[in-house]
Amino acid sequence: MKFSKFNFRIIGLPLVRPFRTSFGTQTHREVLIIEVVTQENISGWAECVAMSEPLYSPEYVAGCLDLMKRFLIPALNFESSAEQVATKLKPFLGGQMAKAALETAILDAQLKKSKMSLAKYLGANKTKVECGVSVGIADSIPKLIDEVSDYVEQGYRRIKLKIEPNWDYEPVKEVRNRWPEIPLQVDANQAYSRNDGKLLARLDEFNLLLIEQPLDEHDILGHSQLAKIVKTPICLDESIISLQSAQDAIEMQATSVINIKPGRVGGYIESVKIHDLCLSKKIPVWCGGMLETGIGRAANLALAALPGFTLPGDTSASSRYFKKDITSPFVMNDGYLDVPNGVGIGVEPDLDYLDSITIHKESVVRK
């Protein structure tokens, strides 16, 4: 497939409420949106899931844009299939989120040309996906209970609580006591150390689905050691950046559940490889979220519809995060979201709204 140009825009999408984690509070989601235009004038869309600052991962919005313009697009030479992208870009170290965005935009255009949906291309066997919701660290336990109550009433089928030292046992206890049957898990975002095994083992009494990424992303050995102390399944998130890292973590018994985030592993094609590995090893997987707009949310739903995704993910309704999405909103029905079945990723952005929230805009044009 040959391309005529790559259009980039950075948008500032207002959040419904501030989103506070160990890394700070966000009131807007700064998103890098990519449009690849083929020589047949077919547009393929994607978003880069990198945050504004290199706090969740080494990648950040401005850095990803520079990496794409300076190195990745010239390496593609305005011609590539989606399946060739990872191989062509492999010489450039890191940059998984930037690479994933380019691969997805090309894949969207490629599938539109062949009139195939992303869900079918990836091998989905479901038409709807169970919705979970991620709940940030609240100002107080009563405020946390109010927020979780709202999500339970909306019909979310799984609750994930962010935790950190001094915000773990008591908030989890209160939520579990209030909702003894609801599927519940916690996400530490690397906030603990190897010395915190006994502290995290206290959470075993709450019948959690999993503890997500308790230790540093590079500490695979530490996670393996922790898994011998804690009965609750350990789930790796930030540590899983490729098929190889997933293989290593499973071999070291550092994880018994894996969170697959396409942006973090380099794209949806690599995500399917990790899914297939985990399915063969009987390791449950679920699809994590990065506050995606409707563009990324549509693609994540297609991935989460694969057979190995047996746990509800973070693919919430659009209204969970945004007053207005940049695509038609994803609306939850009885705790599920429908998997898009249109060609490509199955959604198109609202260009007028995009223009109204665009902070920066530029293009790389074939000469």
Side-chain angles (χ1 to χ4, degrees):
M1 180 170 283
K2 296 182 179 180
F3 319 117
S4 60
K5 60 182 175 179
F6 290 82
N7 295 324
F8 300 97
R9 65 170 85 211
I10 297 173
I11 63 172
L13 189 59
L15 296 170
V16 168
R17 66 186 74 181
F19 189 86
R20 188 163 77 87
T21 70
S22 304
F23 306 123
T25 301
Q26 301 176 34
T27 58
H28 287 68
R29 176 74 165 101
E30 185 181 60
V31 192
L32 174 58
I33 303 293
I34 298 95
E35 178 192 17
V36 59
V37 182
T38 72
Q39 286 193 339
E40 300 95 337
N41 205 33
I42 299 171
S43 287
W45 293 90
E47 68 180 270
C48 181
V49 297
M51 299 296 185
S52 302
E53 299 172 330
L55 296 173
Y56 170 79
S57 84
E59 295 184 77
Y60 59 100
V61 168
C64 287
L65 177 56
D66 181 71
L67 179 64
M68 286 188 231
K69 293 190 303 178
R70 192 186 300 263
F71 298 108
L72 303 186
I73 290 175
L76 294 177
N77 196 29
F78 286 87
E79 183 175 0
S80 182
S81 68
E83 295 80 7
Q84 295 171 325
V85 169
T87 300
K88 288 185 175 183
L89 301 184
K90 187 175 181 179
F92 304 101
L93 302 181
Q96 300 294 78
M97 294 177 179
K99 293 174 181 178
L102 288 175
E103 180 190 272
T104 304
I106 292 170
L107 185 55
D108 184 36
Q110 182 175 307
L111 292 174
K112 284 175 179 174
K113 183 177 180 179
S114 61
K115 302 188 185 312
M116 180 184 292
S117 71
L118 178 62
K120 182 177 180 180
Y121 173 86
L122 297 179
N125 69 341
K126 298 187 280 283
T127 59
K128 60 182 181 178
V129 170
E130 276 191 293
C131 296
V133 67
S134 179
V135 185
I137 295 169
D139 293 331
S140 66
I141 289 179
K143 289 185 177 180
L144 174 67
I145 296 299
D146 287 344
E147 187 173 355
V148 174
S149 295
D150 183 36
Y151 295 134
V152 172
E153 289 174 5
Q154 290 179 44
Y156 283 100
R157 292 176 170 263
R158 183 227 67 193
I159 301 295
K160 180 170 83 173
L161 303 177
K162 298 287 185 176
I163 61 170
E164 62 184 12
N166 300 316
W167 182 267
D168 39 43
Y169 183 84
E170 290 300 329
V172 175
K173 177 183 176 181
E174 291 299 321
V175 171
R176 176 50 84 206
N177 286 345
R178 183 73 175 271
W179 296 279
E181 302 299 328
I182 197 166
L184 181 66
Q185 65 192 59
V186 296
D187 182 7
N189 283 122
Q190 311 179 62
Y192 295 85
S193 73
R194 291 187 185 185
N195 298 324
D196 292 323
K198 290 183 178 179
L199 172 64
L200 291 169
R202 294 183 69 200
L203 300 176
D204 287 341
E205 67 182 88
F206 301 126
N207 189 31
L208 302 176
L209 291 173
L210 56 91
I211 300 175
E212 184 179 352
Q213 199 67 44
L215 309 182
D216 185 88
E217 63 185 278
H218 303 292
D219 195 4
I220 303 299
L221 176 59
H223 281 101
S224 180
Q225 294 170 344
L226 184 65
K228 295 180 175 66
I229 300 171
V230 178
K231 294 180 181 179
T232 304
I234 301 298
C235 170
L236 291 185
D237 174 5
E238 289 93 334
S239 298
I240 306 301
I241 59 172
S242 64
L243 174 63
Q244 184 64 61
S245 63
Q247 290 171 327
D248 293 347
I250 293 170
E251 183 68 24
M252 292 181 67
Q253 299 182 335
T255 187
S256 53
V257 184
I258 285 180
N259 172 3
I260 301 178
K261 287 180 178 171
R264 196 194 56 233
V265 304
Y268 290 89
I269 294 174
E270 186 78 358
S271 295
V272 172
K273 293 177 183 178
I274 297 171
H275 162 273
D276 292 348
L277 166 71
C278 291
L279 191 62
S280 71
K281 300 286 187 181
K282 295 182 171 55
I283 300 288
V285 298
W286 56 283
C287 185
M290 292 284 291
L291 278 71
E292 286 93 346
T293 73
I295 291 175
R297 202 164 298 267
N300 283 354
L301 284 167
L303 179 68
L306 269 67
F309 286 84
T310 56
L311 296 175
D314 288 340
T315 315
S316 310
S318 296
S319 60
R320 162 63 180 94
Y321 295 114
F322 311 121
K323 294 179 181 178
K324 182 177 181 180
D325 208 337
I326 64 172
T327 66
S328 295
F330 284 93
V331 178
M332 186 171 61
N333 182 22
D334 193 28
Y336 289 85
L337 288 179
D338 291 331
V339 177
N341 58 14
V343 296
I345 61 174
V347 296
E348 293 289 332
D350 179 339
L351 295 180
D352 290 336
Y353 183 53
L354 268 186
D355 286 339
S356 73
I357 57 173
T358 293
I359 301 168
H360 174 80
K361 193 174 182 179
E362 62 180 287
S363 298
V364 178
V365 181
R366 186 184 189 118
K367 296 180 181 179

